[in-house]
Amino acid sequence: DALDPERLIQCPYNKHHQIRACRFPYHVVKCKKSYPEVAKELATCPFNARHLVPRADLCDHLTKCNDRGFIEQDIVNQSSDFQRKQMNAVSTWQAPPCDEDWEKDSLEHSEPPFIW
């Protein structure tokens, strides 16, 4: 079960380390300091920081990462929520009062038409 906090996960820095899922983030930080040469060769997945993969395999991992779907779904949901809010938003803008009356002004300042 992927959500079981007691499941064992293999350390990306030392293959002999088996860590419980609930302790994995703490272990990775500690192990990264102990294995700096291995750390230089690993890249962190942008969809799940627990995924540490060889830099050469990162592109392949990104296309297959299971957590990618969760992130993409969140983006779609946020986008549709934003659009829904925009459509339901009631504008509170009001035009400022206007004292101008162009028709009245044109009648007051009208000149007799020019005739040949």
Side-chain angles (χ1 to χ4, degrees), residues 41-56:
E41 297 174 12
L42 296 178
T44 304
C45 171
F47 303 119
N48 186 336
R50 294 180 180 202
H51 297 168
L52 297 167
V53 296
R55 290 191 185 279

Side-chain angles (χ1 to χ4, degrees), residues 77-115:
N77 290 343
Q78 288 176 358
S79 175
S80 62
D81 286 347
F82 177 75
Q83 289 174 348
R84 192 174 343 170
K85 288 177 185 175
Q86 289 290 353
M87 290 175 59
N88 294 336
V90 177
S91 176
T92 58
W93 183 84
Q94 293 181 347
C98 182
D99 297 334
E100 296 179 350
D101 186 352
W102 292 5
E103 291 176 8
K104 179 181 167 191
D105 287 348
S106 68
L107 291 176
E108 289 177 359
H109 300 297
S110 65
E111 297 178 10
F114 178 77
I115 300 176

Side-chain angles (χ1 to χ4, degrees), residues 32-48:
K32 183 177 182 177
K33 293 176 186 174
S34 299
Y35 299 95
E37 292 304 314
V38 177
K40 289 178 186 177
E41 297 174 12
L42 296 178
T44 304
C45 171
F47 303 119
N48 186 336

Side-chain angles (χ1 to χ4, degrees), residues 11-17 27-42:
C11 174
Y13 298 106
N14 184 329
K15 304 299 181 194
H16 300 290
H17 293 173
H27 177 85
V28 168
V29 170
K30 185 178 175 183
C31 231
K32 183 177 182 177
K33 293 176 186 174
S34 299
Y35 299 95
E37 292 304 314
V38 177
K40 289 178 186 177
E41 297 174 12
L42 296 178

Side-chain angles (χ1 to χ4, degrees), residues 67-83:
D67 294 320
R68 176 185 182 139
F70 297 124
I71 300 297
E72 289 175 342
Q73 189 59 46
D74 283 347
I75 292 169
V76 168
N77 290 343
Q78 288 176 358
S79 175
S80 62
D81 286 347
F82 177 75
Q83 289 174 348

